[in-house]
Structure formats: structure tokens, C-alpha cells
Amino acid sequence: MRDPYEVLGVARGASAADIKKAFRRLAKKHHPDQSKEPKAKENFAEVNSAYEILGDEKKRAEFDKGLIGPDGKPRFQGFEGFGAGPQGGPGSATFRWSTGGPGGPGGGQSSGFGGFGSEDIFSEILGRGFGQRGGTRGGRAEAGPPGADVNATVAVTLEQIARGDKIRVELPTGKTVEFGLPPAVRNGQVIRLRGQGQSTLLGGPPGDALVTVEFVPHPSFRAEGETLRTDVPISLDEAILGAKVKVPTLDGSVTMTVPPKTDGGRSLRLKGKGLPGSGGHRGDLLVQLRIVLPDPMDPELEALMLKWRQDGRVGVKGRPVET
């Protein structure tokens, strides 16, 4: 994998806000639902993987120190502090793993470790429970400690949420999993995928995957919980006389009635055209109307407005018009 800083196009000293901004921009650019690039899926996965590291303060620090690689997996640092083995130079060690006692099959000790066998070594590193398959209590076998949890981030579009699509995410373990979004999912929500984390050598269950949901910015809609907002331009005559106008929704365009004498900035509600909410229902879409003047300006309209002003027929109620 490439360096995550290179993937997101940010400097190593970039702030968390700059990293998040770069991620959102690239996620929107490469998302398979919106991009027509032949490698959109691969590029989107690469951007996600890079943000999984740089978007997590702890993982970013570990990567900067060389403790984990661009794939998010730990880098083996080696054993230090051992003297030369029988065949090694200074600082080297020769391993011969022991599974039996002295004199038994494969017996003997691991040279270069001062007489410890393999289980002794890993017990020192991982804890005394290693190799006991979780140990026992009252003669009853117990499971060992669970594996570590992993963190991931997945970018989803509002269309995917509205359709109830299954979402695919690549985890730091290298595994790709598919899951369904819960009802009323929100931007920044963390979803726990049980058993999808790191496995363990100690006999315990695997850890969980904690997936943060990031909404891809939409060119037309703004999400506020289960409610969506959008702006729709209307002409001056449509505002005064009323009209039927086309309004975009996540399910396709619909026709909406603009009542006569509608003020600019007024919001109209389209029920059930928002995002899925709890209880199986969908929120609403709030359509804010923006009055757009003709371009170029109609001379007759301009002359009429001038006459109205001279006659004192224009202006907001309670606010005089200065000429």
C-alpha cells in the first residue's frame, strides 16, 4: 500500500481538520456511486484505508513512529538485548523452539534465551496464560482474553442510506466485510461489528470492528437527523401567481405545488422524502424556495417596479423604502 499521507495528499504535519477535509473531498470524488472512473472502487478503498490510519490519533502516531505500516498492521521490531547465538554475530540470537521438557522429543532449550523454552518466552511477552488455552478454574477450561478491536471508517452516500444498501468496508485486518446500516444512522456514528477484529493466539474470541460512518457531502441535500433540506429556485411570476415545480429527492424528481403569493425563503414540506428513521418510517424533505430574478432584467418589469416604488407600493411592511 502507498503512504497514507500521499494517498490523501496532505503533509505529515497536517492538522486533523485538514486530513478530514482531504478525506471527505476524495471520498466524494472516488465513491463508486458517483464516480465514473474505471478504478473508482480501488481508489475509494485506498482513501478509506489511508483515513483509517491518519484519522485516528493513536494510529497516526504509531505510523509516524514506524510501529505500524500503511496497511495498519504492526511492524515486527525484532528482539533486542540478546547476546550472540552460537552461529550469530553480536546482537543476534538463534532460536530452537522447545515443545517438550529437557531430554524429551524436541527437548532442550531455545539457545540465545538463557534457558527459556518457547512457551516461557511468549509467557513473558504475552502473559503467563499463554499456552494454557485460557487456563482453568475449578478444573474447568476457560477462554483466553479476546483479540484487539480494530477501527475503520466508511464513507456512505445519502442515496445508499435511503435505499438501505449493504455497505462494504475494508478492515485493518485485510478482511472486507459487508453490513447493513442501522435505522436512523447518523453522520459520525460508530457501528460495532462483533467478532470482526483481531484474532488471538491465546484461545479467546476475536475482537470487534468499530466502524465510523462518514456521510459523503451531497451537492443538493443537507442532512439534519432524519430530515433533509434542499433549495429550489423559482421565478418571480411563480412566486406571485403560484406554479407546479420539479423538486429533486433521493428517490427521483417529484412535482410540488407552490402556492400563490409565496415569499422567498419559505419552506415547504415533502413528507417521507427524507432519511430512514427509527420505527421504520422516513423523515421529511424541507424545500426552501429561492426567488430568482430574470437575467437579463426585463425592462417592463423594471419600469413597473420603479412606478410601484414611486407610488409607495413596494417595501416590507413596517420598513420604509429609501429612495
Side-chain angles (χ1 to χ4, degrees), residues 88-107:
S92 65
T94 301
F95 308 130
R96 184 172 67 250
W97 304 117
S98 170
T99 56

Side-chain angles (χ1 to χ4, degrees), residues 25 69 135 139 211 304:
R25 175 177 57 81
V211 182
L304 177 60

Side-chain angles (χ1 to χ4, degrees), residues 126-196:
L126 302 174
R128 287 292 175 183
F130 179 82
Q132 300 176 4
R133 300 194 180 277
T136 60
R137 176 180 293 177
R140 183 180 60 197
E142 287 186 334
D149 292 343
V150 297
N151 294 282
T153 301
V154 64
V156 299
T157 65
L158 298 182
E159 285 84 358
Q160 287 178 302
I161 298 171
R163 292 192 302 261
D165 289 355
K166 294 284 188 179
I167 306 300
R168 295 172 64 86
V169 59
E170 184 175 350
L171 302 176
T173 58
K175 181 166 53 176
T176 298
V177 298
E178 188 176 71
F179 65 98
L181 293 173
V185 65
R186 298 294 176 255
N187 188 31
Q189 183 173 338
V190 178
I191 298 173
R192 182 181 294 272
L193 304 180
R194 298 196 178 277
Q196 298 296 338

